Amino acid sequence: QVQLVESGGDSVQAGGSLRLSCAASGYTSNYEMGWFRQAPGKEREGVAAINTDSMTRYADSVKGRFTISRDNAKNTLYLEMNSLKPEDTALYYCAARIRYYSSYDLFDLRTFGYWGQGTQVTVSS
Protein backbone atom coordinates (compact mmCIF):
# COMPACT_ATOMS: atom_id res chain seq x y z
CA GLN A 1 0.00 0.00 0.00
CA VAL A 2 1.33 3.41 -0.97
CA GLN A 3 0.25 6.68 0.61
CA LEU A 4 1.04 9.92 -1.17
CA VAL A 5 1.27 13.42 0.28
CA GLU A 6 1.75 16.44 -1.95
CA SER A 7 3.25 19.76 -0.91
CA GLY A 8 4.60 22.93 -2.45
CA GLY A 9 1.44 24.46 -3.87
CA ASP A 10 1.10 28.21 -3.52
CA SER A 11 -0.20 31.40 -5.07
CA VAL A 12 2.23 33.02 -7.51
CA GLN A 13 2.19 35.59 -10.25
CA ALA A 14 2.39 34.70 -13.90
CA GLY A 15 5.94 33.94 -14.93
CA GLY A 16 6.82 32.59 -11.51
CA SER A 17 8.03 29.16 -10.47
CA LEU A 18 7.03 26.47 -8.02
CA ARG A 19 8.32 23.07 -7.06
CA LEU A 20 5.81 20.46 -6.03
CA SER A 21 6.83 17.44 -4.00
CA CYS A 22 5.07 14.15 -3.42
CA ALA A 23 6.27 12.08 -0.50
CA ALA A 24 5.37 8.41 -0.56
CA SER A 25 5.01 6.23 2.51
CA GLY A 26 6.12 3.10 0.74
CA TYR A 27 8.92 1.97 -1.51
CA THR A 28 8.00 3.48 -4.86
CA SER A 29 10.84 2.57 -7.22
CA ASN A 30 8.65 -0.12 -8.80
CA TYR A 31 5.74 2.25 -9.38
CA GLU A 32 5.08 4.51 -12.32
CA MET A 33 4.12 7.93 -11.11
CA GLY A 34 2.50 11.06 -12.40
CA TRP A 35 1.18 14.52 -11.74
CA PHE A 36 -2.38 15.32 -12.67
CA ARG A 37 -4.39 18.50 -12.23
CA GLN A 38 -7.99 19.53 -12.05
CA ALA A 39 -9.27 23.05 -12.51
CA PRO A 40 -12.77 24.06 -11.38
CA GLY A 41 -15.39 22.79 -13.80
CA LYS A 42 -12.86 20.75 -15.77
CA GLU A 43 -11.88 17.12 -15.88
CA ARG A 44 -8.72 15.88 -14.25
CA GLU A 45 -5.90 15.77 -16.78
CA GLY A 46 -2.39 14.43 -16.99
CA VAL A 47 0.41 16.95 -16.62
CA ALA A 48 3.58 14.87 -16.43
CA ALA A 49 4.40 11.26 -15.74
CA ILE A 50 7.47 9.11 -15.30
CA ASN A 51 7.91 5.37 -15.53
CA THR A 52 10.29 3.13 -13.65
CA ASP A 53 12.98 3.64 -16.29
CA SER A 54 12.65 7.42 -15.82
CA MET A 55 11.08 7.88 -19.22
CA THR A 56 8.78 10.87 -19.11
CA ARG A 57 5.68 12.19 -20.77
CA TYR A 58 4.37 15.75 -20.67
CA ALA A 59 1.14 17.40 -21.66
CA ASP A 60 1.67 19.66 -24.66
CA SER A 61 0.57 22.64 -22.61
CA VAL A 62 3.49 22.27 -20.18
CA LYS A 63 6.31 21.02 -22.40
CA GLY A 64 9.41 23.11 -21.97
CA ARG A 65 8.09 24.67 -18.74
CA PHE A 66 7.57 21.74 -16.35
CA THR A 67 10.00 18.99 -15.37
CA ILE A 68 9.08 15.80 -13.56
CA SER A 69 11.68 13.85 -11.62
CA ARG A 70 11.84 11.16 -8.98
CA ASP A 71 14.24 10.37 -6.17
CA ASN A 72 13.76 6.71 -5.40
CA ALA A 73 16.10 6.85 -2.43
CA LYS A 74 13.77 9.39 -0.82
CA ASN A 75 10.55 7.90 -2.23
CA THR A 76 9.71 11.36 -3.52
CA LEU A 77 8.32 12.66 -6.79
CA TYR A 78 8.86 16.25 -7.92
CA LEU A 79 7.37 18.65 -10.40
CA GLU A 80 9.40 21.74 -11.22
CA MET A 81 7.12 24.35 -12.74
CA ASN A 82 8.52 27.42 -14.47
CA SER A 83 6.99 30.25 -16.50
CA LEU A 84 3.68 29.62 -14.83
CA LYS A 85 0.54 30.87 -16.54
CA PRO A 86 -2.93 31.62 -15.14
CA GLU A 87 -4.22 28.56 -17.01
CA ASP A 88 -1.96 26.40 -14.84
CA THR A 89 -4.21 27.20 -11.88
CA ALA A 90 -5.58 23.93 -10.54
CA LEU A 91 -5.47 21.38 -7.78
CA TYR A 92 -2.42 19.22 -8.50
CA TYR A 93 -2.47 15.54 -7.60
CA CYS A 94 0.30 13.03 -7.32
CA ALA A 95 -0.54 9.47 -8.36
CA ALA A 96 1.14 6.09 -8.58
CA ARG A 97 0.40 2.87 -10.43
CA ILE A 98 1.84 -0.61 -10.45
CA ARG A 99 4.03 -1.76 -13.34
CA TYR A 100 1.28 -4.14 -14.47
CA TYR A 101 -0.11 -1.14 -16.34
CA SER A 102 3.17 -0.17 -18.00
CA SER A 103 1.75 -0.80 -21.48
CA TYR A 104 -1.05 1.66 -20.85
CA ASP A 105 -0.98 5.37 -21.60
CA LEU A 106 0.90 7.11 -18.79
CA PHE A 107 -1.97 9.60 -18.58
CA ASP A 108 -4.68 6.96 -18.20
CA LEU A 109 -6.20 7.96 -14.87
CA ARG A 110 -8.03 4.64 -14.54
CA THR A 111 -4.74 2.80 -14.15
CA PHE A 112 -3.51 4.85 -11.21
CA GLY A 113 -4.61 3.20 -8.00
CA TYR A 114 -2.94 5.52 -5.52
CA TRP A 115 -3.68 9.21 -5.21
CA GLY A 116 -2.72 12.04 -2.90
CA GLN A 117 -5.10 14.68 -1.59
CA GLY A 118 -3.80 17.41 -3.87
CA THR A 119 -2.02 20.72 -3.49
CA GLN A 120 -3.43 23.98 -4.82
CA VAL A 121 -1.54 26.04 -7.38
CA THR A 122 -2.94 29.47 -8.16
CA VAL A 123 -1.35 31.69 -10.79
CA SER A 124 -2.48 35.29 -11.07
CA SER A 125 -1.99 37.53 -14.08
Side-chain angles (χ1 to χ4, degrees):
Q1 192 78 2
V2 175
Q3 292 183 322
L4 305 171
V5 178
E6 305 95 335
S7 62
D10 205 346
S11 296
V12 298
Q13 290 192 329
S17 298
L18 284 174
R19 187 192 198 201
L20 304 184
S21 298
C22 172
S25 62
Y27 189 59
T28 58
S29 65
N30 289 329
Y31 289 79
E32 301 186 330
M33 302 190 73
W35 288 97
F36 298 80
R37 67 186 181 188
Q38 188 167 18
K42 295 188 176 181
E43 294 186 350
R44 193 171 298 188
E45 62 176 1
V47 176
I50 185 167
N51 70 7
T52 55
D53 295 322
S54 292
M55 293 181 64
T56 58
R57 179 184 173 185
Y58 294 93
D60 288 343
S61 59
V62 307
K63 281 181 182 176
R65 300 189 298 121
F66 290 11
T67 303
I68 188 171
S69 62
R70 63 192 300 167
D71 186 335
N72 290 331
K74 296 182 179 180
N75 293 322
T76 302
L77 181 73
Y78 303 99
L79 185 67
E80 190 75 36
M81 304 188 295
N82 299 311
S83 302
L84 282 161
K85 303 175 180 180
E87 49 264 43
D88 294 319
T89 295
L91 188 59
Y92 282 71
Y93 296 92
C94 170
R97 73 182 189 185
I98 59 176
R99 291 175 65 181
Y100 173 84
Y101 294 106
S102 62
S103 63
Y104 289 71
D105 180 357
L106 268 171
F107 283 173
D108 188 342
L109 279 73
R110 302 169 300 172
T111 62
F112 284 81
Y114 304 96
W115 291 85
Q117 293 300 306
T119 186
Q120 179 67 39
V121 172
T122 303
V123 184
S124 58
S125 57

